[in-house]
Amino acid sequence: LKFHAPGLAPALADDGAAHIDVFGRPAYRERFRRTFGFYGGRAAVDTGDGWIHILPTGAALSSKRYAWCGNFQGGFSTVRYTDGSYGHVGTDGRPAYTDRWSFAGDFRDGVAVVQRPDGLHSHINSSGELVHGTWYVDLDVFHKGFARARDDRGWTHVGVSGLAQYERRFAAVEPFYNGQ
């Protein structure tokens, strides 16, 4: 895969996956099943017995193993716990909050989408608190102050208040761009 700061790229060789420098030299001795790019100085790797985040030295960010973990975005990474629930961890490897969700997306501008067990979605902040407390059938992150949201009537755009910005609903909407 491509190179990311600190100048390392995920690579797969006969002895396993690791990160290499621009000369093709392994950055550390450890080998993994799969490796992914560094984001915020941490990379997600599949160890074969769980997923972890590592530092550029190959050292684990924490001792916690996950069923899956994503890349760090905005200082947080989405993780799937072994019970199938989702949450977020900070760059220190500790959980950002105590709640668990049926799904959790990446943070963007300090806000992430989460899904509760009944399938509805809302936005949380980095402390795990609801941003607005409105729940939707489907929901995206905010883009230029608005998020795509689907309720039982169709798609619309919502503001940070969680309220639809207009009455009409559509079969689909695009992210909000240039005032449109």
Side-chain angles (χ1 to χ4, degrees), residues 49-176:
D49 65 345
W51 287 64
I52 62 172
H53 290 105
I54 63 167
L55 300 171
T57 62
L61 181 61
S62 78
S63 61
K64 179 75 175 161
R65 295 263 196 270
Y66 301 99
W68 172 87
C69 58
N71 297 324
F72 278 88
Q73 303 290 330
F76 297 92
S77 170
T78 303
V79 297
R80 185 174 67 235
Y81 295 97
T82 55
D83 67 0
S85 65
Y86 285 78
H88 293 95
V89 297
T91 55
D92 60 2
R94 295 193 315 236
Y97 49 82
T98 58
D99 290 331
R100 301 276 179 99
W101 302 99
S102 295
F103 176 79
D106 288 338
F107 272 93
R108 180 175 178 165
D109 299 327
V111 176
V113 174
V114 293
Q115 180 187 48
R116 62 186 191 193
D118 66 2
L120 295 179
H121 302 78
S122 194
H123 292 112
I124 61 168
N125 64 23
S126 60
S127 297
E129 300 161 342
L130 292 172
V131 172
H132 49 69
T134 306
W135 295 89
Y136 288 94
V137 174
D138 204 349
L139 187 64
D140 282 343
V141 293
F142 290 101
H143 184 266
K144 303 199 183 224
F146 298 96
R148 295 178 341 117
R150 183 168 61 95
D151 60 18
D152 58 351
R153 295 176 35 225
W155 285 94
T156 186
H157 291 95
V158 300
V160 283
S161 66
L163 301 177
Q165 298 300 290
Y166 44 83
E167 186 60 33
R168 191 170 175 194
R169 297 297 186 271
F170 298 91
V173 295
E174 293 289 322
F176 194 79

